[in-house]
Amino acid sequence: MSARMKLGVFLWATGHHIAAWRHPKTHVTAGIDIDHYIALARTAEAAKFDMIFCEDAAGLREANVGIASQTSRSIGFEPISLLSALAVQTTRIGLVSTASTSYNEPYGLARTFLSLDHLSGGRAGWNLVTSASPIEAANFGATGLKPHADRYERAREFAEVVTGLWHGKASGHVGQSFSVRDPLDLPSSPQGAPVMVQAGASDVGRDLAARTADVVFTAAQTFEEAKAFYDDLKGRMAAHGREPDDIKIMPGVAPVVAETEAEAREKFEELQELIPDDVGVTLLSSYLSISDLWRYPIDGPLPELPESEGMKSRQALVVEQSRRDGLSIRQLARHFAGARGHWRIVGTAAQVADELQARFEGGAADGFNVMPAYFPGELDAFAALVVPELQRRGLFRMEYEGTTLRAHLGLKRPS
């Protein structure tokens, strides 16, 4: 466990709640407003967050365009371009972007992230994903979503080539999926190498993370789930010649915070009331990889589901929660739409800090990837209320320890 918790903020246009764009205090066209993102980045940097994080999906996030138009996830910048712009508007905060190993080539991706690392003075990170959506596959000439095992086999070699290029060792690589002749046309990274991030929680995903990742984002509803994941992943490190502290595990958390618990609950219920049932069920269907969830009674239980070739770990998490809490499809859809399966806390700054502290000090997290329900309001509230409470308890930094993302995270500089 780290001496002080790490904090990232997960940027997402109008916010992480599926109905965030309908909130009266959000900016509906935030996804294409650079000033909006600059303001969010500066708020996070002033609060001493370790990093800002952008995810990516190269396609509409819902197959039903009518549904997609009703979500907060329909439009947005390509994330590496966005972070390049934010690099010159900030000075310390880390800049992490998602990029897929299924729809990129390692030489180009390695060059892009190393360029961002130089532009930012050593603050870049790459979140490796294999892409689990058939919608993305259809945009890249593919015949369909490749099987989970095949995607991870490609990802393993992809990561090996990229890290080799960053360390000047991958020129001349000839492998099963890739061949690379030349080294990169850039000097080595200001921080040794961009930070490697991963979010896969399946067994093969955990093995890849134990081998290659510096940071892991994950989803866990309960302390027991978080602790089991933490112990399992840290326990895999030795097989790859690594120490447990060489990786920082940062579960997602979706806080709604206010001066009083009643005010926080009122804010949360206002958001929940903005979710149309068809949007909630469609979002739930996409994560469960089932296209006909509407065939089942919305106030009945979740049906038995075949194992997904998409997001296996997220499907398992949602199914387990539905069984554990006895939720109907409607209830599960509304619950899931609020934070997409991540841990949600609603309360005062002290209550939120209590929950974060318990998981951090209980050895279930090294920090958290904060997912504000709507922007800028919930990021502002977390920065103004929760961060000072964590600092008061000695759990979070008062000032940055260095200038690079690795320095913030307390990660070793690669040789």
Side-chain angles (χ1 to χ4, degrees), residues 56-58 61 98 100-103 128-138 144-148 151-152 200 285-290 308-315:
D56 192 29
R61 299 171 195 279
T98 294
S100 174
T101 57
S102 295
Y103 309 121
L128 181 160
V129 299
T130 67
S131 296
S133 169
I135 298 170
E136 289 181 88
L145 183 66
K146 290 182 171 60
H148 187 269
R151 297 200 312 272
Y152 270 94
S285 298
S286 70
Y287 277 88
L288 293 173
S289 299
I290 178 173
S308 170
E309 281 295 343
M311 292 177 282
K312 289 180 181 290
S313 57
R314 189 60 57 86
Q315 182 194 56

Side-chain angles (χ1 to χ4, degrees), residues 61 228 269 306 337 352 369 406:
R61 299 171 195 279
E269 290 304 326
V352 172
N369 199 22
R406 286 187 180 276

Side-chain angles (χ1 to χ4, degrees), residues 104-260:
N104 285 289
E105 291 291 319
Y107 190 91
L109 187 142
R111 187 171 183 243
T112 296
F113 275 97
L114 188 54
S115 295
L116 177 61
D117 208 37
H118 280 285
L119 286 170
S120 63
R123 295 185 283 136
W126 168 37
N127 177 42
L128 181 160
V129 299
T130 67
S131 296
S133 169
I135 298 170
E136 289 181 88
N139 289 332
F140 288 87
T143 56
L145 183 66
K146 290 182 171 60
H148 187 269
D150 292 353
R151 297 200 312 272
Y152 270 94
E153 180 58 30
R154 176 184 167 97
R156 183 201 59 75
E157 184 183 351
F158 196 115
E160 177 185 322
V161 176
V162 168
T163 55
L165 285 165
W166 287 341
H167 296 302
K169 298 177 182 178
S171 55
H173 173 91
V174 178
Q176 181 176 339
S177 299
F178 309 108
S179 62
V180 174
R181 187 191 69 179
D182 294 334
L184 294 175
D185 55 350
L186 287 164
S188 60
S189 161
Q191 58 178 334
V195 170
M196 287 281 289
V197 183
Q198 198 181 325
S202 65
D203 189 66
V204 68
R206 296 184 196 200
D207 276 339
L208 182 62
R211 179 194 297 266
T212 65
D214 299 306
V215 175
V216 168
F217 295 149
T218 184
Q221 288 286 339
T222 68
F223 175 87
E224 291 74 21
E225 291 170 356
K227 178 66 172 170
F229 179 89
Y230 187 96
D231 290 345
D232 178 78
L233 186 52
K234 297 275 186 174
R236 297 179 189 228
M237 304 289 287
H240 302 285
R242 305 180 70 197
E243 298 294 327
D245 204 41
D246 288 345
I247 198 167
K248 308 300 180 186
I249 298 175
M250 300 175 63
V253 60
V256 177
V257 62
E259 295 283 358
T260 69

Side-chain angles (χ1 to χ4, degrees), residues 67 76 92 119 142 147 181 199 224 231 306 322 353 386 399 412:
I67 295 296
R92 293 294 184 89
L119 286 170
R181 187 191 69 179
E224 291 74 21
D231 290 345
S322 74
V386 180
E399 295 292 341
K412 298 172 186 173

